[in-house]
Amino acid sequence: ARIFNPKSGKTMMLAVDHGYFQGPTTGLKKPRETIMPLLPYADCLFVTRGILRNCISPSANTPVFLRVSGGPSVLGELSNEDITTSMKEALRLNAVGVGLSIFVGEKNEDRTISNLGRLVNEAEEYGMPVLAITAVGKEMARDARYLGLASRIAAEIGAHMVKTYYCEEDFEKVVEGCPVPIVIAGGKKIPERDALQMAFNAISKGAAGVDMGRNIFQSENPVAMIQAIKAVVHENYTVDEAFELFNKLKEKKVVSERV
Ligand code: 5RP
């Protein structure tokens, strides 16, 4: 209930964990400045412990899903991940859940899937939900067949939620084949209207929400964008309505609309 809005049954998660392998990525060079104004509109923040400890005000009461995997940087073999943050730490930081990446079809797929199994084993002892992220390597096609395979494996190993990418064709089959809620990552920055369309399509085809990062914090107006995405996720806004809301908020015609 702390992750999913009880009215809509969906979640608007804000992903700001990118620095764990990308360093000071565009839009997150000053994490505190970027993240704090967005928090009132997020149901949940997906973040590493380093940014949580150093850049998020202790008075913020947005629930936190903690990124607990890492290892390689963007310069190395990305699938070479392990668990980097303990369950004890997640509990101490009052996280409502923990998340890690699996790399299906990549060099270290077996290790990352085993990481998921170990994390779920430990998390079950504390009733801590686990989000598995289906990271997609450069060589992999982001199609329903691949995303469905990776999402189903994550659920079978015990993930309570799966974050994957949206695909235009047969996304509903990815959702159908996965017995736990699916949220979508936004991927690379695309024009705002296109990102709203993607969120709308994903929700229409059965996604339980979004866990988006770059298409929010790299937007020309991140605070307007998160509210527009949130309107799609929770308020059944059409793409046109949400884009209009974005433009109004951007132009400050609406000073502080909470959707
Ligand atoms: C990186 C992640 C990110 O949280 C995920 O990709 C979501 O962010 P974006 O919407 O920018 O894709 O898991 O591995």
Side-chain angles (χ1 to χ4, degrees):
R2 294 190 67 200
I3 304 164
F4 292 95
N5 177 306
K7 257 197 197 161
S8 67
K10 306 263 185 314
T11 185
M12 163 73 240
M13 296 174 69
L14 174 65
V16 288
D17 60 319
H18 304 60
Y20 90 98
F21 71 103
Q22 293 182 355
T25 196
T26 305
L28 283 179
K29 291 192 192 310
K30 294 180 177 175
R32 180 188 293 270
E33 276 88 330
T34 303
I35 298 168
M36 289 307 292
L38 299 174
L39 279 188
Y41 309 103
D43 295 317
C44 188
L45 186 66
F46 190 63
V47 69
T48 59
R49 65 173 158 189
I51 295 301
L52 180 61
R53 276 198 207 125
N54 297 302
C55 308
I56 308 296
S57 165
S59 62
N61 57 9
T62 307
V64 165
F65 240 86
L66 208 59
R67 149 77 66 181
V68 297
S69 69
S73 79
V74 72
L75 306 176
E77 167 52 50
L78 288 182
S79 72
N80 200 13
E81 283 201 5
D82 225 319
I83 295 171
T84 51
T85 304
S86 69
M87 192 59 61
K88 201 168 168 186
E89 175 82 320
L91 291 163
R92 190 163 42 214
L93 291 169
N94 204 22
V96 299
V98 290
L100 92 175
S101 296
I102 61 168
F103 291 77
V104 173
E106 295 291 317
K107 197 167 171 222
N108 296 298
E109 73 165 9
D110 43 3
R111 175 143 56 87
T112 59
I113 293 171
S114 299
N115 287 343
L116 172 60
R118 279 190 288 117
L119 186 66
V120 172
N121 288 342
E122 216 183 335
E124 291 293 354
E125 288 188 40
Y126 304 97
M128 178 77 85
V130 174
L131 171 71
I133 298 130
T134 70
V136 183
K138 288 189 189 102
E139 309 301 317
M140 297 294 162
R142 290 187 186 193
D143 59 19
R145 202 159 165 226
Y146 173 75
L147 298 173
L149 171 75
S151 299
R152 177 59 173 266
I153 289 171
E156 297 261 357
I157 299 296
H160 304 94
M161 285 171 70
V162 170
K163 170 159 72 167
T164 194
Y165 290 88
Y166 176 70
C167 57
E168 211 46 72
E169 210 172 308
D170 290 339
F171 181 74
E172 62 280 8
K173 291 193 179 151
V174 178
V175 175
E176 276 164 22
C178 180
V180 299
I182 287 194
V183 293
I184 60 151
K188 282 189 183 148
K189 171 78 176 70
I190 53 178
E192 276 77 2
R193 198 179 191 291
D194 294 350
L196 291 166
Q197 182 79 60
M198 176 169 58
F200 179 86
N201 291 350
I203 296 291
S204 310
K205 293 178 185 181
V210 302
D211 184 13
M212 284 171 79
R214 288 163 287 180
N215 278 292
I216 293 173
F217 63 71
Q218 292 177 353
S219 165
E220 58 174 301
N221 192 321
V223 175
M225 190 57 179
I226 193 170
Q227 289 178 84
I229 298 271
K230 188 175 179 181
V232 169
V233 172
H234 287 317
E235 305 289 330
N236 296 318
Y237 273 42
T238 63
V239 177
D240 284 342
E241 288 167 343
F243 192 52
E244 197 186 328
L245 176 64
F246 169 75
N247 283 321
K248 274 187 189 162
L249 291 168
K250 190 179 79 174
E251 291 157 19
K252 293 202 169 60
K253 280 188 190 150
V254 179
V255 180
S256 66
E257 182 161 339
R258 291 289 304 275
V259 290

